[in-house]
Amino acid sequence: MFRFMRPAEAALPRLLILDDEAMTGATLQRMVALSGFAARHATNADDFFRLLKEWAPDVVSLDLVMPGMDGIEVIRSLGGQQQKALLIITSGVGSRILEAAERSARAHGLDIVGFLPKPFSAATLRQLLLKTQARLAKRPPVVETASLPERELSVAARQRLVAVRSPAAEPGPSVVDLRTALDRLEIRLAYQPKVDCSTGALVGFEALARWIRPELGHVRPEVFIALAEQHGLIDELTCRVTDLALAWLAGLAREAAACSATVRSSLEQVQLSLNVSALSLGNQALFERMVLRCRQLGIASQRVVLELTETSAMQDAITALDNLTRLRLQGCHLSIDDFGTGYSSMVQLVKLPFSEIKIDKSFVMRATSCEESRAVVRSVVDLGRSLGLSITAEGVEDEATLRYLKELGCDSVQGYWISRALAPDAVIPWLLAHEARRLPH
Ligand code: G
Ligand code: G
Ligand code: MN
């Protein structure tokens, strides 16, 4: 005789539920178990923390509103013990509060996979669990712990550290790997188009660094940029990125020679945006070199845009201000990236000579579904306009969002709806197809 065998529980991802309503918890547990998880359920915080320790779940599902201890307190103590499990928040509270809880969880270094608004349907739960499984399958590799004290890292670097400090099967790249990659020219660039919001005409490209390790595959930019920042390699990386991107831009004009007059003229003026770490802002030689390279390659400095985030992390604010002002005087543009998040705030905006404001994708992506995000987008557009800045929205993922941004009077847009970041040899084919779509006649 043989009996039907369930897959060994030990091989399944573990999901621990905290919900004070025994019925809800038990239902959830049953449904989760049907989706290929090993599931346990606690109705109070004491049991929850005991199971957390003994059973070491991969995912925890938290109810926000409970008598005795609320979900935020649980979140705080999960953060305090540097909990690596993915987090699902279940609650019947409104989206405003859920978003605040999400921010709180992120601030405590937790990795949120999603929300389960109550009452929930089986379909919603199933979708969330599929997403959870996908996230568990590709948890990022662990980066070496910082050699610098963490408080000396930029806020962005710290956030990235948190993002990459999750349990992982294989070790992530080391600083030696990155050093080798720089020497072997393994860092490449992808270029994401930026287009005029109302006409769709090409405005520029943002260069985004890519690292593909032979045999091992992609390393996420958040991971290797943080690694470079922690180990003093960021200036060299920026230098490499700048050289590659400027040479590519100069080459683009040559390739354009074979194209139609419209394509040629748009390519001759197209802008290039480069991301610059706050840690590099004090490096005068880096910027002098950049301007020199432009001159050598016949690229007008007006075509170069430097995108800065987290300018609060500048080590020497005065030198940075000097360098950036000098760059502006030479014609380069300065963009405040990820505006609306972290320290890319009003204070930074008035302190430094920015010419462009980039609305963070987290707001843009939710602009059609969430009134709060829409309000932020609207106000940033107003703010940008009153300060005479060029306004770019990033993270445009659908047509409705594009239409909304057009209505608001946003200048340029970037996002998956227009194009993902492209390998260098895919740029001209993309542009030809884009022009054919845009100008069908
Ligand atoms: O494509 P995306 O996953 O590429 O980029 C992730 C993050 O990495 C973004 O915040 C982007 O600003 C940052 N990034 C990408 N390339 C560079 C780079 O060359 N220098 C710096 N400092 N950041 C970069
Ligand atoms: O921080 P920075 O603005 O430089 O980040 C650029 C990042 O945004 C890159 O990782 C890029 O791949 C990503 N990105 C660009 N467009 C979209 C989009 O439409 N949706 C999402 N989710 N990410 C995007
Ligand atoms: Mn950017």
Side-chain angles (χ1 to χ4, degrees), residues 160 206-210 221-222 225 234 237 241 275-277 337-338:
R160 289 187 197 113
E206 177 176 2
L208 292 159
R210 296 287 180 261
E222 290 85 350
I225 301 286
I234 189 65
L237 184 86
V241 167
N275 291 286
V276 177
S277 160
D337 205 355
D338 306 332

PDB file of all heavy atoms in Angstrom, residues 160 206-210 221-222 225 234 237 241 275-277 337-338, ligand 1:
ATOM      1  N   ARG A 160      20.009  51.041   0.966  1.00  0.00           N
ATOM      2  CA  ARG A 160      20.359  49.925   0.105  1.00  0.00           C
ATOM      3  C   ARG A 160      20.903  48.768   0.925  1.00  0.00           C
ATOM      4  O   ARG A 160      20.620  47.625   0.681  1.00  0.00           O
ATOM      5  CB  ARG A 160      21.390  50.355  -0.934  1.00  0.00           C
ATOM      6  CG  ARG A 160      20.807  51.274  -1.971  1.00  0.00           C
ATOM      7  CD  ARG A 160      21.829  51.521  -3.056  1.00  0.00           C
ATOM      8  NE  ARG A 160      21.456  52.691  -3.822  1.00  0.00           N
ATOM      9  CZ  ARG A 160      22.138  53.821  -3.822  1.00  0.00           C
ATOM     10  NH1 ARG A 160      23.240  53.923  -3.118  1.00  0.00           N
ATOM     11  NH2 ARG A 160      21.728  54.829  -4.535  1.00  0.00           N
ATOM     12  N   GLU A 206      18.852  58.592 -19.748  1.00  0.00           N
ATOM     13  CA  GLU A 206      19.525  58.460 -18.455  1.00  0.00           C
ATOM     14  C   GLU A 206      20.418  57.226 -18.520  1.00  0.00           C
ATOM     15  O   GLU A 206      19.942  56.131 -18.862  1.00  0.00           O
ATOM     16  CB  GLU A 206      18.509  58.314 -17.310  1.00  0.00           C
ATOM     17  CG  GLU A 206      19.207  58.095 -15.956  1.00  0.00           C
ATOM     18  CD  GLU A 206      18.257  58.039 -14.754  1.00  0.00           C
ATOM     19  OE1 GLU A 206      17.022  58.140 -14.950  1.00  0.00           O
ATOM     20  OE2 GLU A 206      18.767  57.888 -13.621  1.00  0.00           O
ATOM     21  N   ALA A 207      21.695  57.430 -18.214  1.00  0.00           N
ATOM     22  CA  ALA A 207      22.615  56.294 -18.190  1.00  0.00           C
ATOM     23  C   ALA A 207      22.469  55.562 -16.865  1.00  0.00           C
ATOM     24  O   ALA A 207      22.517  56.173 -15.799  1.00  0.00           O
ATOM     25  CB  ALA A 207      24.050  56.795 -18.354  1.00  0.00           C
ATOM     26  N   LEU A 208      22.267  54.252 -16.926  1.00  0.00           N
ATOM     27  CA  LEU A 208      22.118  53.452 -15.712  1.00  0.00           C
ATOM     28  C   LEU A 208      23.143  52.320 -15.734  1.00  0.00           C
ATOM     29  O   LEU A 208      23.230  51.564 -16.710  1.00  0.00           O
ATOM     30  CB  LEU A 208      20.688  52.902 -15.622  1.00  0.00           C
ATOM     31  CG  LEU A 208      19.620  53.983 -15.396  1.00  0.00           C
ATOM     32  CD1 LEU A 208      18.238  53.506 -15.805  1.00  0.00           C
ATOM     33  CD2 LEU A 208      19.625  54.445 -13.932  1.00  0.00           C
ATOM     34  N   ALA A 209      23.922  52.234 -14.681  1.00  0.00           N
ATOM     35  CA  ALA A 209      25.015  51.257 -14.633  1.00  0.00           C
ATOM     36  C   ALA A 209      24.474  49.836 -14.508  1.00  0.00           C
ATOM     37  O   ALA A 209      23.487  49.596 -13.813  1.00  0.00           O
ATOM     38  CB  ALA A 209      25.931  51.579 -13.459  1.00  0.00           C
ATOM     39  N   ARG A 210      25.117  48.919 -15.194  1.00  0.00           N
ATOM     40  CA  ARG A 210      24.755  47.503 -15.153  1.00  0.00           C
ATOM     41  C   ARG A 210      26.011  46.673 -14.930  1.00  0.00           C
ATOM     42  O   ARG A 210      27.051  46.959 -15.506  1.00  0.00           O
ATOM     43  CB  ARG A 210      24.118  47.065 -16.474  1.00  0.00           C
ATOM     44  CG  ARG A 210      22.790  47.764 -16.782  1.00  0.00           C
ATOM     45  CD  ARG A 210      21.686  47.224 -15.884  1.00  0.00           C
ATOM     46  NE  ARG A 210      20.395  47.850 -16.123  1.00  0.00           N
ATOM     47  CZ  ARG A 210      19.899  48.836 -15.371  1.00  0.00           C
ATOM     48  NH1 ARG A 210      20.596  49.318 -14.357  1.00  0.00           N
ATOM     49  NH2 ARG A 210      18.703  49.321 -15.615  1.00  0.00           N
ATOM     50  N   PRO A 221      21.994  47.248  -9.327  1.00  0.00           N
ATOM     51  CA  PRO A 221      22.747  48.494  -9.097  1.00  0.00           C
ATOM     52  C   PRO A 221      22.722  48.927  -7.628  1.00  0.00           C
ATOM     53  O   PRO A 221      23.729  49.411  -7.127  1.00  0.00           O
ATOM     54  CB  PRO A 221      22.038  49.521  -9.974  1.00  0.00           C
ATOM     55  CG  PRO A 221      21.136  48.782 -10.873  1.00  0.00           C
ATOM     56  CD  PRO A 221      20.991  47.385 -10.392  1.00  0.00           C
ATOM     57  N   GLU A 222      21.596  48.731  -6.959  1.00  0.00           N
ATOM     58  CA  GLU A 222      21.529  49.111  -5.535  1.00  0.00           C
ATOM     59  C   GLU A 222      22.646  48.426  -4.766  1.00  0.00           C
ATOM     60  O   GLU A 222      23.211  48.981  -3.831  1.00  0.00           O
ATOM     61  CB  GLU A 222      20.186  48.716  -4.906  1.00  0.00           C
ATOM     62  CG  GLU A 222      18.998  49.520  -5.378  1.00  0.00           C
ATOM     63  CD  GLU A 222      18.385  49.003  -6.676  1.00  0.00           C
ATOM     64  OE1 GLU A 222      19.002  48.114  -7.314  1.00  0.00           O
ATOM     65  OE2 GLU A 222      17.312  49.500  -7.053  1.00  0.00           O
ATOM     66  N   ILE A 225      26.341  49.741  -6.258  1.00  0.00           N
ATOM     67  CA  ILE A 225      26.571  51.164  -5.971  1.00  0.00           C
ATOM     68  C   ILE A 225      26.856  51.311  -4.466  1.00  0.00           C
ATOM     69  O   ILE A 225      27.787  52.018  -4.068  1.00  0.00           O
ATOM     70  CB  ILE A 225      25.345  52.033  -6.351  1.00  0.00           C
ATOM     71  CG1 ILE A 225      25.005  51.902  -7.837  1.00  0.00           C
ATOM     72  CG2 ILE A 225      25.553  53.494  -5.958  1.00  0.00           C
ATOM     73  CD1 ILE A 225      25.894  52.590  -8.809  1.00  0.00           C
ATOM     74  N   ILE A 234      33.442  54.622  -5.382  1.00  0.00           N
ATOM     75  CA  ILE A 234      32.349  55.277  -6.086  1.00  0.00           C
ATOM     76  C   ILE A 234      32.836  56.322  -7.086  1.00  0.00           C
ATOM     77  O   ILE A 234      32.287  56.441  -8.182  1.00  0.00           O
ATOM     78  CB  ILE A 234      31.293  55.862  -5.096  1.00  0.00           C
ATOM     79  CG1 ILE A 234      30.041  56.341  -5.848  1.00  0.00           C
ATOM     80  CG2 ILE A 234      31.854  56.979  -4.249  1.00  0.00           C
ATOM     81  CD1 ILE A 234      29.258  55.258  -6.540  1.00  0.00           C
ATOM     82  N   LEU A 237      33.896  54.524 -10.127  1.00  0.00           N
ATOM     83  CA  LEU A 237      32.723  54.038 -10.853  1.00  0.00           C
ATOM     84  C   LEU A 237      32.055  55.173 -11.633  1.00  0.00           C
ATOM     85  O   LEU A 237      31.733  55.040 -12.813  1.00  0.00           O
ATOM     86  CB  LEU A 237      31.726  53.412  -9.870  1.00  0.00           C
ATOM     87  CG  LEU A 237      30.513  52.774 -10.521  1.00  0.00           C
ATOM     88  CD1 LEU A 237      30.801  51.341 -10.924  1.00  0.00           C
ATOM     89  CD2 LEU A 237      29.324  52.793  -9.593  1.00  0.00           C
ATOM     90  N   VAL A 241      31.549  55.446 -15.602  1.00  0.00           N
ATOM     91  CA  VAL A 241      30.219  55.634 -16.173  1.00  0.00           C
ATOM     92  C   VAL A 241      30.206  56.883 -17.071  1.00  0.00           C
ATOM     93  O   VAL A 241      29.695  56.862 -18.195  1.00  0.00           O
ATOM     94  CB  VAL A 241      29.162  55.744 -15.047  1.00  0.00           C
ATOM     95  CG1 VAL A 241      27.841  56.254 -15.577  1.00  0.00           C
ATOM     96  CG2 VAL A 241      28.981  54.395 -14.356  1.00  0.00           C
ATOM     97  N   ASN A 275      23.776  59.706 -13.062  1.00  0.00           N
ATOM     98  CA  ASN A 275      23.521  59.712 -11.623  1.00  0.00           C
ATOM     99  C   ASN A 275      24.830  59.911 -10.877  1.00  0.00           C
ATOM    100  O   ASN A 275      25.815  59.225 -11.150  1.00  0.00           O
ATOM    101  CB  ASN A 275      22.898  58.385 -11.190  1.00  0.00           C
ATOM    102  CG  ASN A 275      21.493  58.238 -11.721  1.00  0.00           C
ATOM    103  OD1 ASN A 275      20.564  58.879 -11.224  1.00  0.00           O
ATOM    104  ND2 ASN A 275      21.330  57.439 -12.758  1.00  0.00           N
ATOM    105  N   VAL A 276      24.831  60.841  -9.953  1.00  0.00           N
ATOM    106  CA  VAL A 276      26.062  61.091  -9.208  1.00  0.00           C
ATOM    107  C   VAL A 276      25.790  60.908  -7.721  1.00  0.00           C
ATOM    108  O   VAL A 276      24.836  61.462  -7.175  1.00  0.00           O
ATOM    109  CB  VAL A 276      26.597  62.513  -9.482  1.00  0.00           C
ATOM    110  CG1 VAL A 276      27.825  62.796  -8.649  1.00  0.00           C
ATOM    111  CG2 VAL A 276      26.927  62.678 -10.958  1.00  0.00           C
ATOM    112  N   SER A 277      26.613  60.085  -7.102  1.00  0.00           N
ATOM    113  CA  SER A 277      26.462  59.836  -5.672  1.00  0.00           C
ATOM    114  C   SER A 277      26.830  61.083  -4.872  1.00  0.00           C
ATOM    115  O   SER A 277      27.754  61.814  -5.233  1.00  0.00           O
ATOM    116  CB  SER A 277      27.386  58.683  -5.271  1.00  0.00           C
ATOM    117  OG  SER A 277      27.613  58.701  -3.883  1.00  0.00           O
ATOM    118  N   ASP A 337      16.998  64.292  -8.004  1.00  0.00           N
ATOM    119  CA  ASP A 337      16.408  62.993  -8.339  1.00  0.00           C
ATOM    120  C   ASP A 337      15.525  62.509  -7.188  1.00  0.00           C
ATOM    121  O   ASP A 337      15.698  62.936  -6.041  1.00  0.00           O
ATOM    122  CB  ASP A 337      17.556  61.993  -8.556  1.00  0.00           C
ATOM    123  CG  ASP A 337      17.168  60.827  -9.453  1.00  0.00           C
ATOM    124  OD1 ASP A 337      15.994  60.715  -9.835  1.00  0.00           O
ATOM    125  OD2 ASP A 337      18.061  60.020  -9.769  1.00  0.00           O
ATOM    126  N   ASP A 338      14.609  61.624  -7.478  1.00  0.00           N
ATOM    127  CA  ASP A 338      13.752  61.004  -6.453  1.00  0.00           C
ATOM    128  C   ASP A 338      13.089  62.047  -5.567  1.00  0.00           C
ATOM    129  O   ASP A 338      12.954  61.842  -4.350  1.00  0.00           O
ATOM    130  CB  ASP A 338      14.559  60.049  -5.558  1.00  0.00           C
ATOM    131  CG  ASP A 338      15.312  59.003  -6.364  1.00  0.00           C
ATOM    132  OD1 ASP A 338      14.838  58.664  -7.455  1.00  0.00           O
ATOM    133  OD2 ASP A 338      16.364  58.544  -5.903  1.00  0.00           O
TER     134      ASP A 338
HETATM  135  O1    G B   1      18.024  50.783 -13.315  1.00  0.00           O
HETATM  136  P1    G B   1      17.904  50.916 -11.944  1.00  0.00           P
HETATM  137  O2    G B   1      17.687  49.573 -11.285  1.00  0.00           O
HETATM  138  O3    G B   1      18.982  50.831 -12.678  1.00  0.00           O
HETATM  139  O4    G B   1      18.846  51.757 -10.963  1.00  0.00           O
HETATM  140  C1    G B   1      18.772  51.564  -9.605  1.00  0.00           C
HETATM  141  C2    G B   1      19.395  52.693  -8.844  1.00  0.00           C
HETATM  142  O5    G B   1      20.796  52.758  -9.075  1.00  0.00           O
HETATM  143  C3    G B   1      18.808  54.060  -9.178  1.00  0.00           C
HETATM  144  O6    G B   1      18.565  54.703  -7.962  1.00  0.00           O
HETATM  145  C4    G B   1      19.916  54.731  -9.932  1.00  0.00           C
HETATM  146  O7    G B   1      19.911  56.108  -9.643  1.00  0.00           O
HETATM  147  C5    G B   1      21.159  54.071  -9.350  1.00  0.00           C
HETATM  148  N1    G B   1      22.235  54.086 -10.341  1.00  0.00           N
HETATM  149  C6    G B   1      22.256  53.491 -11.555  1.00  0.00           C
HETATM  150  N2    G B   1      23.406  53.783 -12.204  1.00  0.00           N
HETATM  151  C7    G B   1      24.119  54.592 -11.372  1.00  0.00           C
HETATM  152  C8    G B   1      25.393  55.240 -11.465  1.00  0.00           C
HETATM  153  O8    G B   1      26.097  55.175 -12.468  1.00  0.00           O
HETATM  154  N3    G B   1      25.804  55.969 -10.394  1.00  0.00           N
HETATM  155  C9    G B   1      25.044  56.111  -9.279  1.00  0.00           C
HETATM  156  N4    G B   1      25.511  56.843  -8.275  1.00  0.00           N
HETATM  157  N5    G B   1      23.830  55.522  -9.143  1.00  0.00           N
HETATM  158  C10   G B   1      23.376  54.779 -10.181  1.00  0.00           C
END
